Amino acid sequence: MYNFELVKPSTLAEAVAALAGEDAQPLSGGQTLIPSMKARLNAPETLVSLTGIAELKGVSRSGDTLTIGAATTHADVAEQAAADFPGLAALAGQIGDPAVRNRGTIGGSLANNDPSACYPAAALGTGATIVTNTREIAADDYFQGMFTTALEEGEIITAVRFSIPQASAYAKFLQPASRFALTGVFVAQYASGVRVAVTGASENGVFRWAEAEAALSSDFTPDAIAGLSCPADEMIADLHGSAAYRAHLVGVMTRRAVIAAG
Amino acid sequence: MPKDDGIGASTKRREDVRFLTGNGKYTDDINLRGQAHVHFLRSDVAHGRIRGIDTSAAEAMDGVLKVFTSADFESAGGLPCGWQVTDRFGQVMQEPKHPILAEGKVRHVGDPICAVVAETYEQARDAAEAIEVDIEELEPVIDMKSALADGAPKVHDDLTSNLCYDWGFVEDNKDAVNAAFETAAHVVSLELTNNRLVANPMEPRVAVGDYDPWGDSHTLYTTSQNPHVIRLLMGAFVLNIPEHKLRVVAPDVGGGFGSKIFHYAEEAFCTYAAKVLKRPVKWTSSRSEAFISDAHGRDHRTKIELALDADHNFTALRTETYANMGAYLSTFAPSIPTWLHGTLMAGNYRTPLIYVNVKAVFTNTVPVDAYRGAGRPEATFQIERLVDKAARELGVDPVELRRQNFITADQFPYQTPVAVVYDTGNYHATMDKMLELADYAGFEERRAESAKRGKLRGFGIAHYIEACGIAPSNLVGQLGARAGLYESASVRVNATGSISVYTGSHSHGQGHETTFAQVVADMIGVDASSIEIHHGDTSNTPMGMGTYGSRSLAVGGSAIVKATNKIIDKAKKIAAHLLEAAPEDIELKDGKFSVAGTDKSVDWSGVTLAAYVPHNYPLEELEPGLEETAFYDPSNFTYPSGAYGCEIELDPETGKIDILRFIAADDFGNIVNPMIVEGQVHGGLVQGIGQALMENCVYDDQGQLLSGSFMDYTMPRADDVRGFTVDHSCITPCTHNPLGVKGCGEAGAIGSPPAVVNAAIDALHRAGHTHVTHIDMPLTPARVWAAING
Ligand SMILES: Cc1cc2nc3c(=O)[nH]c(=O)nc-3n(C[C@H](O)[C@H](O)[C@H](O)COP(=O)(O)OP(=O)(O)OC[C@H]3O[C@@H](n4cnc5c(N)ncnc54)[C@H](O)[C@@H]3O)c2cc1C
């Protein structure tokens, strides 16, 4: 790790101001950023910690909308969203290990947009709204490929707004070593239709599986997608699985998610 | 019933109190006054010629004391190899120089090029980034067979090729073996890989070098399984420091699994740099560095064939193996695929004719050497996979095929056709015990239940033999070892009766401090709490060869028994004097000396006090004091064996394998501490299951390590296994050591991989996927799925 300055603001406004400085970067749970700094792959001069800002934390419900502050930890989501949005709470409870869940945050995960991360599947799979200090971004516009998002330089995610589905579940097949998602599928059923989002599988990051959405929208049962298969082009191929294997897992995990949601 | 802390008692491990409370004293806990820190600049290419190194900018940086390159080591030797193999044509192996810092070429990713010593570690690391190394990249050789092709780039320009040796064993049997294949009724063959592994002990390697200019003496603190071996190799061959000026200390060590046997460049560097700089120099490996600098394990490709007669008796076995040596010869590398592997190819069977061919190959990868089991897992995996395949092809029960060919209990001692003589064993007994514990009879019912849930259940069997307690020195000397393999112990009885034992063995998790004390306590009849076991410091322990090859109790424990017997003999003479009786009439029981048939007695402490305060003492006949040293050189290896059963459930949709039950029925001979034995077996099983299902060290074709961190190298975790059924009630004591013990440290890792893979193949065949005859380890979900759908 190289030397850096740590700023710990207590309001969003102070954080935004601090981030305007030269080579400054937000630090949330640090579960991604700190390891990359230790490996000297990342060397910001200033870290602006978001974890001391009360307005960025907590889970609240209003009608059918669940709003989660960006600096809310995975452990807090697992606990506090359990009654209102069990599919999301279960996803949060499967991220990493207790140490990671007690530090890592939803905002950090979505800002990072790791192609194998779990939260992007929930955000895209529910059509969530990513709220930042300057605007609101629809999930469909937010995710722009591996580690790439619609966020501008210095823009901070402040909250994520989910519209609570009638039924939902996340089915995650573990990459054996990292235990991120080798392939993870989030399905959510709404009156208007079903959304299916897949993480871990594609070279383009999280994506929606349109054919499965169509099939499940008319019949929300595992049988509805029995004949469907996801194409293997542009799937990730690495030590842990071929493109064909990942494409196959998309089908398996989608079925399992539907069963779990049902 | 054993005494609370005597032989046979499951005494809790005394060392665990300090380990579990964070009070262990590991090498990284050692911080010497004025210590400087070193960071190694390592090659990021697999093969290249060093055209120039510019260290000037680095040297000018804050805190930098010196930047070392190979030029600073012109007077030093290379890291020595401790074993010389002679090939099947009578030629000795090709043995390249292994410099401390790269000379002229880099040969693997991780090869150290420069070493920066600075006031702080961060300064050293910063400065290393300012070094300019001009490297002309060369085409690397990664795959073993390509490395042997004509015109392949050479890892070492001064060798004739990348072939280290081409070993045949037993070369004189070759024609007879081939002839037996010509006339065989059945021939079964299998090509397989024994996957490359990274040991990954919890504690990474650390070295602290210290130099005392007033005494011109050196101390090295290091994470080693055998400090005396390091002192000998580094002192005599690398740095030219005589033993009396060199002390090597291996304090608490957090696991080794073989990877801490070897003498590494960083140890020699820190020792040497401390003298140059007149300051202690410390290196602590990062986990990332460990992946590219600790010796790796396994990495064999093998074709194995078995000939059977019409009645399914094994008539001959032959193998052709390619064994990866990596870029340099690590300390014991040449011995692993040869003498620790070829000699085990009879397994538990009466196969009369065996021929093993091993080609050891240099590649642009990290050196490969012993890892838990070292050669025996490779042998066992081949044999037990092949026997299983044979049973399937012949349509016979895998248990029955094994039983039919087992060496039977009445055939011991048994001379195998691959040089070794098994002293004892009872393979039918361990097989029966395993099947009973596994409820093999109830398997079909459990399988049907799994099938209802869409899961494929399978049961896999393996029976292993291994040779441990390495080794008779005169024998290994003939086989090319450049060391003896005895063990040593000094037993110092203190004046008031407490006992300090100094062993040449080394504990890095095995629990010697507990087990060895139990042995001495049992022999003398005193409380184990009055006995302290010391190890790991060359300045107070007699020259010993350390801990590996499951040898500590069988060889090191035997040395302690020998020294303790000398103590008892002398103590009896002192007691005889005090009791005015003849020494032959003195009996020692429960810490009390008495004259046979009388009520005259004297306590242990009465005798020990007399030894050190010899007022009433036979000074004309007997020296005062009570301290004895013994060296024990075994007359044979020991041969633990056992039957392993693995029951799995396989998810055909994802290819994921779950281990539901694992049963180990081992014959370790006599047992000193059953709890510790079970712990050793548990650990070995987890590592064996890790190899079978998860662990894999993978290079790309440019020699970059794809599995260079725990994000991609899968270590087994607690929730990957569900507990084990471990039994060691089948006991055929070793016939040639005083405790009758065989060793248990590696068995779990040796016997389990074939049991796991056999279980997977069994599950697939029972479900009709009969086209799958083998899957190479690790059986990751992706590989299993691909095999089913391939
Ligand atoms: C051992 C381990 C296992 C893991 N397993 C999983 C897993 O199974 N599934 C999974 O999804 N993840 C997993 N993770 C990742 C974990 O969930 C991280 O917490 C998460 O990806 C990043 O969140 P963070 O709060 O730690 O962000 P940080 O590391 O603090 O930041 C990550 C990036 O986001 C930026 N950032 C942070 N907050 C904001 C914000 N509010 N606005 C804009 N930019 C911001 C930072 O500048 C940085 O670039 C694992 C991590 C570890 C160490």
Side-chain angles (χ1 to χ4, degrees):
Chain A
M1 199 179 280
Y2 299 98
N3 287 341
F4 60 89
E5 296 296 325
L6 177 67
V7 183
K8 206 156 183 214
S10 56
T11 66
L12 180 60
E14 284 167 23
V16 171
L19 280 170
E22 188 76 356
D23 205 8
Q25 197 174 341
L27 172 71
S28 196
Q31 297 303 292
T32 296
L33 186 51
I34 302 286
S36 78
M37 289 170 66
K38 278 164 93 174
R40 298 194 160 200
L41 300 172
N42 202 334
E45 276 180 20
T46 305
L47 287 184
V48 180
S49 170
L50 306 181
T51 55
I53 304 174
E55 58 198 286
L56 295 187
K57 286 187 173 174
V59 177
S60 64
R61 179 173 185 159
S62 142
D64 282 340
T65 302
L66 193 75
T67 303
I68 301 179
T72 312
T73 63
H74 308 327
D76 282 346
V77 174
E79 198 185 302
Q80 295 170 25
D84 296 312
F85 192 171
L88 183 71
L91 173 148
Q94 290 174 57
I95 294 175
D97 49 48
V100 170
R101 292 195 290 276
N102 284 327
R103 286 242 156 230
T105 66
I106 186 169
S109 178
L110 291 175
N112 192 50
N113 192 20
D114 187 304
S116 305
C118 301
Y119 270 127
L124 190 62
T126 56
T129 303
I130 316 297
V131 184
T132 76
N133 58 316
T134 58
R135 57 184 169 145
E136 297 190 352
I137 312 171
D140 284 315
D141 302 325
Y142 176 82
F143 298 104
Q144 301 188 347
M146 283 194 182
F147 298 107
T148 312
T149 69
L151 289 180
E152 306 280 346
E153 189 77 26
E155 188 172 4
I156 303 178
I157 301 176
T158 56
V160 188
R161 274 207 316 265
F162 294 93
S163 99
I164 299 173
Q166 295 160 346
S168 69
Y170 177 60
K172 175 182 183 182
F173 192 78
L174 301 181
Q175 193 263 51
S178 71
R179 295 195 174 184
F180 275 65
L182 187 68
T183 293
V185 177
F186 196 93
V187 298
Q189 186 186 28
Y190 293 95
S192 56
V194 172
R195 287 176 74 108
V196 177
V198 180
T199 188
S202 168
E203 288 179 343
N204 303 317
V206 65
F207 71 96
R208 286 172 67 185
W209 188 16
E211 287 159 287
E213 291 187 349
L216 291 167
S217 293
S218 53
D219 175 16
F220 193 63
T221 67
D223 289 344
I225 49 167
L228 290 186
S229 61
C230 187
D233 345 313
E234 306 197 350
M235 290 284 165
I236 299 170
D238 62 12
L239 269 186
H240 308 288
S242 62
Y245 182 57
R246 281 185 166 83
H248 165 76
L249 283 180
V250 173
V252 175
M253 291 298 124
T254 305
R255 265 198 316 285
R256 291 186 183 182
V258 171
I259 293 168
Chain B
M1 274 297 282
K3 280 184 44 174
D4 287 352
D5 50 14
I7 291 176
S10 281
T11 306
K12 288 220 171 92
R13 301 191 347 155
R14 52 172 70 175
E15 46 272 79
D16 285 348
V17 177
R18 71 174 190 278
F19 294 155
L20 295 176
T21 56
N23 288 297
K25 188 161 191 195
Y26 295 91
T27 309
D28 193 47
D29 294 321
I30 294 170
N31 291 299
L32 303 177
R33 203 157 63 157
Q35 128 192 316
H37 298 263
V38 59
H39 177 75
F40 292 93
L41 176 67
R42 297 178 184 276
S43 178
D44 55 10
V45 299
H47 195 193
R49 199 172 308 286
I50 302 172
R51 282 191 292 227
I53 302 176
D54 183 352
T55 60
S56 53
E59 264 155 333
M61 284 174 67
D62 276 357
V64 173
L65 300 172
K66 184 171 166 63
V67 180
F68 293 79
T69 66
S70 65
D72 294 289
F73 289 93
E74 270 160 13
S75 64
L79 303 172
C81 179
W83 204 299
Q84 185 177 59
V85 166
T86 301
D87 75 7
R88 63 200 190 87
F89 311 105
Q91 300 293 311
V92 297
M93 67 187 190
Q94 296 207 77
E95 192 172 354
K97 185 178 180 189
H98 187 177
I100 295 171
L101 295 174
E103 279 176 16
K105 267 174 93 171
V106 289
R107 296 186 174 88
H108 65 86
V109 169
D111 209 359
I113 304 168
C114 300
V116 185
V117 183
E119 297 289 345
T120 72
Y121 172 71
E122 294 291 333
Q123 286 171 332
R125 202 170 164 191
D126 286 344
E129 288 179 3
I131 297 174
E132 282 181 34
V133 185
D134 179 9
I135 290 186
E136 173 197 348
E137 278 194 52
L138 302 172
E139 189 188 334
V141 284
I142 306 302
D143 173 70
M144 286 190 275
K145 288 186 185 167
S146 331
L148 295 184
D150 283 344
K154 283 195 289 183
V155 178
H156 296 276
D157 301 344
D158 52 337
L159 302 187
T160 58
S161 70
N162 293 318
L163 181 69
C164 177
Y165 55 73
D166 179 355
W167 184 74
F169 184 65
V170 173
E171 194 62 23
D172 291 345
N173 286 351
K174 189 178 178 184
D175 293 341
V177 170
N178 289 339
F181 273 89
E182 296 293 319
T183 58
H186 307 281
V187 173
V188 184
S189 70
L190 183 59
E191 287 191 40
L192 49 80
T193 293
N194 204 289
N195 41 328
R196 182 187 269 245
L197 304 176
V198 184
N200 281 317
M202 196 180 287
E203 177 205 30
R205 288 190 295 120
V206 183
V208 186
D210 192 21
Y211 177 68
D212 170 11
W214 315 113
D216 187 28
S217 63
H218 301 257
T219 303
L220 169 69
Y221 302 90
T222 181
T223 48
S224 174
Q225 302 178 209
N226 31 234
H228 275 287
V229 175
I230 303 304
R231 184 177 71 160
L232 179 65
L233 295 178
M234 185 175 80
F237 298 101
V238 187
L239 298 180
N240 195 18
I241 305 169
E243 286 99 322
H244 69 300
K245 295 290 188 187
L246 176 58
R247 176 182 168 210
V248 177
V249 185
D252 284 336
V253 174
F257 312 110
S259 70
K260 292 174 182 168
I261 298 171
F262 324 120
H263 176 40
Y264 286 98
E266 296 87 355
E267 296 173 318
F269 177 83
C270 290
T271 307
Y272 180 77
K275 179 172 183 178
V276 172
L277 298 170
K278 307 264 184 306
R279 290 180 61 171
V281 174
K282 179 171 186 173
W283 172 71
T284 300
S285 173
S286 68
R287 183 62 67 185
S288 313
E289 223 175 345
F291 271 99
I292 54 170
S293 68
D294 289 5
H296 294 170
R298 316 275 196 261
D299 206 353
H300 286 192
R301 311 268 175 287
T302 295
K303 178 174 186 199
I304 179 168
E305 297 167 288
L306 177 67
L308 302 94
D309 68 16
D311 298 325
H312 302 163
N313 296 309
F314 302 167
T315 57
L317 184 88
R318 68 182 170 203
T319 70
E320 186 186 24
T321 287
Y322 292 81
N324 207 335
M325 295 286 103
Y328 303 99
L329 290 178
S330 174
T331 313
F332 289 111
S335 66
I336 312 302
T338 51
W339 299 108
L340 294 179
H341 161 250
T343 52
L344 272 302
M345 287 307 297
N348 304 93
Y349 308 108
R350 295 189 310 270
T351 319
L353 287 164
I354 296 176
Y355 179 70
V356 179
N357 174 240
V358 179
K359 295 175 182 73
V361 186
F362 293 111
T363 60
N364 291 112
T365 63
V366 168
V368 180
D369 206 327
Y371 166 72
R372 202 169 193 167
R376 291 99 86 207
E378 294 90 321
T380 304
F381 186 70
Q382 296 165 47
I383 299 167
E384 290 302 295
R385 278 291 300 125
L386 186 65
V387 170
D388 230 60
K389 186 162 186 259
R392 216 168 286 291
E393 287 183 12
L394 300 170
V396 298
D397 184 82
V399 175
E400 286 318 312
L401 184 63
R402 286 180 170 87
R403 279 191 178 130
Q404 176 186 342
N405 286 282
F406 273 163
I407 298 159
T408 53
D410 56 358
Q411 290 179 305
F412 295 97
Y414 186 83
Q415 171 70 59
T416 70
V418 276
V420 292
V421 180
Y422 302 160
D423 60 341
T424 54
N426 186 345
Y427 311 143
H428 283 89
T430 39
M431 182 65 102
D432 292 346
K433 176 56 88 180
M434 184 277 286
L435 294 172
E436 171 204 323
L437 293 170
D439 182 20
Y440 192 46
F443 172 77
E444 201 38 58
E445 200 175 310
R446 297 193 294 275
R447 193 184 76 82
E449 189 277 322
S450 295
K452 279 194 206 135
R453 289 183 283 108
K455 298 284 165 56
L456 318 184
R457 202 179 266 251
F459 191 83
I461 292 161
H463 206 290
Y464 74 88
I465 180 83
E466 63 144 325
C468 53
I470 185 167
S473 293
N474 53 5
L475 176 64
V476 295
Q478 289 167 29
L479 306 183
R482 289 162 168 163
L485 284 165
Y486 55 83
E487 200 43 88
S488 65
S490 284
V491 176
R492 176 185 299 167
V493 180
N494 303 305
T496 62
S498 67
I499 302 168
S500 307
V501 178
Y502 299 85
T503 169
S505 290
H506 182 275
S507 181
H508 33 284
Q510 293 87 348
H512 294 6
E513 292 168 35
T514 303
T515 319
F516 288 0
Q518 284 178 259
V519 170
V520 178
D522 200 275
M523 290 178 71
I524 298 176
V526 294
D527 211 65
S529 63
S530 67
I531 300 161
E532 195 76 15
I533 307 295
H534 300 269
H535 61 89
D537 186 341
T538 59
S539 72
N540 63 16
T541 57
M543 169 106 178
M545 301 311 290
T547 288
Y548 37 82
S550 307
R551 68 193 300 272
S552 291
L553 189 61
V555 190
S558 296
I560 291 176
V561 170
K562 236 178 127 180
T564 306
N565 275 329
K566 290 188 188 176
I567 292 282
I568 292 171
D569 280 351
K570 184 171 177 187
K572 279 184 175 172
K573 288 184 189 149
I574 302 168
H577 174 86
L578 297 175
L579 297 169
E580 298 176 334
E584 309 80 70
D585 294 335
I586 300 294
E587 288 172 351
L588 170 62
K589 190 162 184 287
D590 294 337
K592 190 176 269 199
F593 296 90
S594 50
V595 184
T598 74
D599 59 1
K600 290 206 295 182
S601 71
V602 55
D603 278 349
W604 168 251
S605 57
V607 170
T608 63
L609 195 63
Y612 289 96
V613 188
H615 296 163
N616 174 18
Y617 195 89
L619 284 168
E620 329 63 65
E621 296 149 36
L622 217 51
E623 293 171 18
L626 202 49
E627 175 166 345
E628 299 287 350
T629 294
F631 287 74
Y632 175 81
D633 205 289
S635 60
N636 192 355
F637 293 88
T638 63
Y639 300 95
S641 59
Y644 284 8
C646 175
E647 191 163 320
I648 62 137
E649 213 172 58
L650 189 157
D651 179 348
E653 279 193 329
T654 63
K656 187 167 185 329
I657 291 172
D658 257 340
I659 297 195
L660 303 181
R661 301 166 167 226
F662 202 105
I663 301 94
D666 293 292
D667 175 358
F668 293 136
N670 294 332
I671 305 282
V672 170
N673 183 319
M675 179 200 71
I676 288 184
V677 167
E678 285 164 22
Q680 289 291 308
V681 175
H682 286 187
L685 291 177
V686 172
Q687 282 182 311
I689 290 168
Q691 166 161 34
L693 296 183
M694 308 166 215
E695 296 188 45
N696 203 18
C697 178
V698 186
Y699 283 95
D700 71 9
D701 58 4
Q702 290 306 302
Q704 293 295 331
L705 188 57
L706 297 179
S707 52
S709 81
F710 290 143
M711 294 299 275
D712 288 301
Y713 187 91
T714 313
M715 292 296 280
R717 303 183 202 189
D719 63 356
D720 289 320
V721 291
R722 312 183 178 206
F724 308 109
T725 304
V726 174
D727 180 273
H728 34 75
S729 64
C730 298
I731 293 175
T732 61
C734 170
T735 57
H736 54 80
N737 66 43
L739 293 165
V741 297
K742 296 183 177 178
C744 67
E746 295 158 294
I750 292 170
S752 56
V756 175
V757 179
N758 288 345
I761 302 297
D762 183 62
L764 292 173
H765 276 249
R766 287 177 194 266
H769 300 291
T770 50
H771 68 286
V772 185
T773 54
H774 180 67
I775 307 174
D776 267 329
M777 299 189 290
L779 274 65
T780 60
R783 282 191 182 181
V784 173
W785 179 82
I788 296 174
N789 296 286

